[in-house]
Amino acid sequence: MERNVSAVGTGVRVIPQGIAPAETHVPFDMADAATVLVDAEGIITGWTPAAERLLGYPAAEMVKQPARVLLAAPEDAAKAEAIGAWCRAHGGWGGLGQVRHRDGRRIDMGLRISAMRDPDGETSWLVSGVDVGSIPSWALSGSLLQAFLTRSPIGMAVLSPDLRYVWINDTLERYGGVPRAERLGSRMGDFLPGLDTEAIEARMRQALETGEPVIDYEYRGWTMAEPGSEHAYSTSFFRLDNAEGRPVGVCYMAIDVTDRWRARERLALLNEAGARIGGTLDVLRTAQELADFAVERLADFVTVDLVEDVLRGEEPAKPSGETLPAFRRAGQASIREGCPESIAAPGEPIAVFPSSPLARCYFSGEPLLDPVMGVSIDAWSGDDPARTAKLREFGMHSLMVTPIGARGALLGVASFVRSRHPDPFEEDDLLLAEELVARAALCVDNARRYSREHAAALALQRSLLPHALSGGQALEVASRYLPTDARNGVGGDWFDVIPLSGARVALVVGDVVGHGITAAATMGRLRTAVHTLADMDLPPDELLAHLDDLVIRLTEEEAGQEGVAAAVLGATCLYAVYDPVTQRCTMARAGHPTPAVVDPSGEVSFPPLPAGPPLGLGSLPFESAELELPDGSLIALYTDGLIEGCDQDIDVGLGRLSNALRQSARPLEELCSTVVDALLTSPQSDDVALLLARTHGLDSGHVVSWDLPSDPAVVAGARSLAVRRLAEWGLEDLATTTELIVSELVTNAIRHGTGPIRLRLIRHEVLICEVADTSSTSPRLRHPRTTDEGGRGLFLVAQLAHRWGTRYTEGGKLIWAEQDLPEPV
C-alpha cells in the first residue's frame, strides 16, 4: 500500500503552508487544467491533451510510465511519500508542488489529487493541476487548493466508458441531491428521474466516439435536491484517452444556469406577448388576448376586468379611494373548457366588494401577491359567497392581482390564479405578470383612444353625409358610399339629393382630394356650401362658379395647413337639376367624370358635358348642358374611384359600368350592388360614391298653366281658374288660401313687373303655385306698420304658405309658394 501511495505522490514537492495569507483568492481556470489518471500501482493510465500542452510529454510517451518520472528533483521522493500517506487517510490532497517539464525545466503547479473507485472497488487517482508559475507563491493558500476540484462551484464528474460514475465532486453531489457513495458505480438514470438522462448520455457518447468536446449543452429538469422545482444546467463533456488513443472515460462539468434560463424565458415570453397581444385596436379583443396568453404560461385561470368608461372609449375617472367604478368582465381564460371558475361571462358587469383583492389593488394602484390565498379567501368569504364557493370548488390556491394602467390612467384589474399548478406564485411571477399587463395596458389604452376617435369620426361622417335620400315623386334614388378605409368609414367623396322649388330635384356628387378625417371635414364644408347655394335656386353653372370662389377663399385661408389646403384645392363636383314637369335635366361639372345616362330602352350613353376645371383653380368658366330624360330614364352619378380601380384604366371602367347599367330595369338597390360588384374587383385605392336616379315625369294631370295679360282686371279671373282646377284635383280644402296666394302673387307681378304673366299650379307632394313675369327685380318681404295701406302682399303669402321663394329664369323671375296637401281621409 505504501507503494501505491508513493506512486501518487511522485513528482510533487510540497511548499510549506502559511506563506500566503489565508484570505488570498486565486482564480483557477479549470478549462486549462492538466489531468492525469494514475492506477492503484502508481502507473499513468490516462493523459489529457492539456497535460501534454503543459508538460510537453505526449500521451504515447507517458501512459504506462510510473508517475515518479515527473519528479522535479530526487529529494522530492520523501515528500511524495508523505502526500501518499495523506491521500490514503483522507481520500485526496490539494496543494502546491513542482514537476519536471520534458525540456528539463521545473514548473510550479497547483495540484489536486482525488480518489476514484470502480465498480469492483479498485482505487485509482485523478491528479489535476494548473501552472501557477506566474502567480506569486504568497497568493496561494492550501484551503483554496483543497477546494480546487472537490469544492469547486462547478459540478464535475468522471464516468467510465459505460457511463457509470467513478468520481464526483461536492457541487455535483449537491445538484443531484443523492449522496456521492450511492452514485458511484451507477448510471445517471438510476438517481435522476427528473432529467432527460438519455439525451445527456447521448452527448457523452458523442464525446467518447468523436473525441470532440461537447460545449455548453443545456437541459432542464428536476433532481432529488428539489423535486418540485425545475432547474436549468449548462454542461460540457470531454473524453479521457489512454496511450493507444482509446477512451478510458468521460469527464463532464456542469453549472446551474437557472437564473439565466429564467431571464431568457422571460424575455422570450414578453417578446411573444408583444406579437400576440394588441394585434387589433379593439378593447375587448385585446383583453381576451391577454387572458388567453397568460393561461398555462403563467396561470391556470385569468380574468381581465375593465372600468365601464374604458369600454365606452371614455377617459376613466381617477380612483377616489372611496367609491369603486362599475367594472365589466372584458376577457377571461382557463385551462378548463368554458371557464367554469368564472362568476360572469365576458361583457357582463362584475360585482366588486371594497374588501376584495381586486378593490384593494384598484385603490392602491399596486400589484397584490397572495401565494396561498389565505388573505383573499378571508376577504371574499363574508361579502362574496359565490366567488368563495368557486375558489373552494376548483382548488384555487395562489393569486396575483395587477392593476391595468397606462399614461397615468387606471383602466382596470387583471387577476391570475393557480389551481392545478402545484407551485404558489412567487415574486418573479408577479414581475412577469406586471410586464405582461403593462404591455397589454398600452394596447388597451390605444384601443380605447382609437374607439373614441373612431366613434367621433363616424359621428362626423354621419353628420356630413345625407341620412336619407329622397327624390320625392320626381326621382327614385339609391346610393352606395365606400370609403377606402372601410373600417373607419371616413372619406372625401360625397353625394346628395336636394329638393328644389317647382318639384325639381338637384343631384350632387363630389370628390375631395385625399382620405380620412381631413378629407371628410373638407367634404362637409363643401356639401354645406352646395346646400346653401342650391337654396338660392342658382343654375348649375352659376352654382359651381360660386363654389369655386369659396374653394379659392378656403385655400387662401388654410394656406398654413397643408392637409386642409391640399384636400380642398382640386376637388371635383357635378351638379344636376332635374325638372319633372319639362322632363329635362340641366348639368354642369367641375373636373368630374361624366354621368352615365340610360334611356328607357336600356341604351347607355355618356353625354359630352363641358368638362370645367376642378374647383379652386379659377381659370375657366363653367358651362351647363341640358338633356332630355324621358319618364323611366336612369342617370348614374359616381366618383372616379369607381372606374379607376387598381386593375383597370378609365376606358375599362367605363365599359364595365356600361355593361352593368344595361340591367337598368332591376330595382335600384339591387342595381347599385350589381354595379359595385362588377367594378370593384380588387382592393380599393380611392373612395367610391355612386348615386343612381330613375326619373318620373309629371303629366298634364298634375300641371296646369295660364298666360295672363299684365292687367289688374285679370286678378279675379286668375283666382277663379285656380279654384276650378283645385276642385278638379279634389283639393277644395285649399281653395281659400290658394285664392289669396294667387291674388297676391298676380297683383304683385302686375304692379311691379312688366310684360305677360304666367300662372302655374303643380300638384306634387305639395301644391305649388308659381307666378312668372319678365322683371328681374327681386321681391322684398316687408313688415308694414298698422297705419300703412299696402305692402302686406308677400307677408300674407309667407303666412299662408308652407314655403315660398324666388328664382330667376332666362326671361325674368318666378315667385313660388308651396302648401301642404291635406291628409287623405
Side-chain angles (χ1 to χ4, degrees), residues 163-174:
L163 304 183
R164 295 182 181 274
Y165 288 101
V166 296
W167 178 81
I168 183 172
N169 75 344
D170 293 349
T171 301
L172 199 64
E173 180 182 25
R174 185 172 66 253

Side-chain angles (χ1 to χ4, degrees), residues 95-427:
L96 299 178
Q98 286 188 339
V99 296
R100 181 170 53 84
H101 192 274
R102 193 168 186 268
D103 59 12
R105 60 189 170 87
R106 296 181 179 185
I107 300 176
D108 291 326
M109 297 188 67
L111 298 173
R112 175 63 193 171
I113 302 173
S114 302
M116 298 189 300
R117 292 180 176 83
D118 60 23
D120 298 328
E122 291 294 326
T123 301
S124 56
W125 305 91
L126 182 69
V127 183
S128 299
V130 294
D131 183 2
V132 296
S134 59
I135 303 175
S137 60
W138 52 264
L140 303 173
S141 69
S143 60
L144 288 176
L145 290 175
Q146 181 68 25
F148 178 63
L149 290 178
T150 303
R151 299 178 185 176
S152 169
I154 299 175
M156 293 183 286
V158 175
L159 287 81
S160 62
D162 62 349
L163 304 183
R164 295 182 181 274
Y165 288 101
V166 296
W167 178 81
I168 183 172
N169 75 344
D170 293 349
T171 301
L172 199 64
E173 180 182 25
R174 185 172 66 253
Y175 284 170
V178 178
R180 179 187 288 109
E182 296 182 23
R183 292 179 67 174
L184 294 177
S186 302
R187 300 278 293 273
M188 292 186 71
D190 296 339
F191 297 98
L192 301 173
L195 299 178
D196 187 357
T197 55
E198 291 186 4
I200 299 172
E201 289 184 345
R203 297 303 189 282
M204 293 184 187
R205 293 190 186 94
Q206 176 184 338
L208 284 169
E209 294 170 0
T210 65
E212 296 292 330
V214 176
I215 307 297
D216 197 24
Y217 169 66
E218 286 194 11
Y219 55 88
R220 300 196 304 268
W222 57 269
T223 66
M224 300 308 295
E226 293 183 80
S229 179
E230 189 177 40
H231 283 250
Y233 302 93
S234 173
T235 307
S236 298
F237 309 94
F238 63 91
R239 188 175 74 184
L240 297 172
D241 294 343
N242 62 13
E244 290 78 18
R246 292 184 299 172
V248 295
V250 61
C251 181
Y252 78 82
M253 300 180 180
I255 57 175
D256 190 326
V257 293
T258 302
D259 290 341
R260 183 178 75 184
W261 165 66
R262 286 179 177 172
R264 191 169 57 206
E265 288 288 301
R266 180 177 174 182
L267 287 175
L269 192 65
L270 292 175
N271 184 59
E272 185 183 0
R276 291 179 176 266
I277 300 174
T280 63
L281 289 172
D282 183 285
V283 173
L284 290 176
R285 185 167 178 180
T286 301
Q288 187 60 46
E289 287 170 348
L290 169 61
D292 290 337
F293 183 82
V295 163
E296 292 193 17
R297 292 178 176 86
L298 182 60
D300 298 331
F301 175 52
V302 177
T303 62
V304 181
D305 300 319
L306 298 179
V307 178
E308 279 193 348
D309 291 345
V310 174
L311 298 177
R312 292 193 295 265
E314 301 173 4
E315 191 79 22
K318 292 185 178 180
S320 64
E322 299 177 356
T323 305
L324 281 167
F327 285 88
R328 284 190 180 270
R329 179 62 47 83
Q332 61 184 18
S334 170
I335 57 174
R336 300 174 177 87
E337 185 176 357
C339 290
E341 308 98 322
S342 178
I343 60 170
E348 291 183 352
I350 297 294
V352 179
F353 297 95
S355 62
S356 68
L358 191 153
R360 287 188 285 127
C361 176
Y362 179 80
F363 283 137
S364 68
E366 298 293 333
L368 181 151
L369 174 63
D370 190 0
V372 294
M373 290 190 75
V375 176
S376 301
I377 291 179
D378 292 341
W380 273 318
S381 59
D383 296 329
D384 197 352
R387 195 186 299 261
T388 304
K390 291 283 188 180
L391 293 175
R392 300 188 187 281
E393 178 184 357
F394 293 98
M396 303 182 197
H397 62 83
S398 191
L399 171 70
M400 297 187 298
V401 186
T402 306
I404 303 174
R407 301 181 179 94
L410 200 53
L411 311 176
V413 175
S415 303
F416 303 82
V417 179
R418 279 182 177 171
S419 54
R420 287 184 183 173
H421 195 294
D423 295 337
F425 287 120
E426 301 175 347
E427 290 292 340

Side-chain angles (χ1 to χ4, degrees), residues 1 39 139 160 184 222 230 243 258 411 439-441 507-508 513 534-535 571 630 647 677 701 746 763 773 802 823:
M1 190 64 185
D39 67 10
S160 62
L184 294 177
W222 57 269
E230 189 177 40
T258 302
L411 311 176
R439 295 190 177 211
L507 300 173
V508 191
V513 178
D535 285 342
D647 62 343
D677 293 342
V746 171
R763 179 168 63 88
D773 59 50
H802 172 69
E823 294 291 336

Side-chain angles (χ1 to χ4, degrees), residues 579-805:
D579 188 342
V581 177
T582 62
Q583 297 188 7
R584 301 187 71 81
C585 184
T586 306
M587 306 180 190
R589 61 186 180 124
H592 203 81
T594 303
V597 176
V598 187
D599 65 23
S601 66
E603 186 66 28
V604 181
S605 63
F606 296 89
L609 300 181
L615 298 173
L617 301 184
S619 55
L620 297 174
F622 301 98
E623 298 180 32
S624 294
E626 193 171 70
L627 305 176
E628 185 173 351
L629 297 179
D631 190 56
S633 298
L634 179 72
I635 181 170
L637 283 68
Y638 51 88
T639 54
D640 56 7
L642 182 69
I643 59 173
E644 295 179 356
C646 298
D647 62 343
Q648 62 191 26
D649 57 26
I650 293 179
D651 292 337
V652 173
L654 291 175
R656 290 184 178 179
L657 177 60
S658 179
N659 291 334
L661 290 176
R662 287 193 174 91
Q663 308 174 53
S664 59
R666 303 173 70 173
L668 286 190
E669 287 293 338
E670 187 177 327
L671 185 58
C672 273
S673 299
T674 300
V675 170
V676 169
D677 293 342
L679 276 83
L680 300 184
T681 57
S682 60
Q684 290 178 232
S685 59
D686 196 3
D687 302 328
V688 172
L690 171 66
L691 178 62
L692 299 182
R694 182 175 286 130
T695 64
H696 298 291
L698 295 178
D699 56 28
S700 58
H702 291 77
V703 181
V704 62
S705 64
W706 300 277
D707 290 326
L708 305 174
S710 181
D711 184 349
V714 303
V715 175
R719 290 198 300 265
S720 299
L721 292 172
V723 170
R724 283 198 298 269
R725 178 50 60 122
L726 292 182
E728 294 176 10
W729 285 343
L731 300 177
E732 293 87 348
D733 293 345
L734 299 179
T736 302
T737 56
T738 303
E739 275 190 285
L740 288 172
I741 290 173
V742 169
S743 179
E744 293 300 334
L745 292 183
V746 171
T747 300
N748 190 72
I750 294 172
R751 180 174 300 173
H752 302 289
T754 59
I757 299 169
R758 168 163 289 194
L759 170 64
R760 185 167 72 168
L761 296 179
I762 303 173
R763 179 168 63 88
H764 187 48
E765 293 176 327
V766 292
L767 177 65
I768 304 170
C769 176
E770 298 178 342
V771 174
D773 59 50
T774 57
S775 172
S776 59
T777 303
S778 176
R780 181 169 60 91
L781 179 64
R782 298 174 56 195
H783 296 274
R785 295 185 296 271
T786 56
T787 58
D788 291 345
E789 295 182 0
R792 295 180 176 83
L794 288 181
F795 181 78
L796 288 174
V797 171
Q799 298 300 310
L800 296 173
H802 172 69
R803 246 181 10 132
W804 76 279

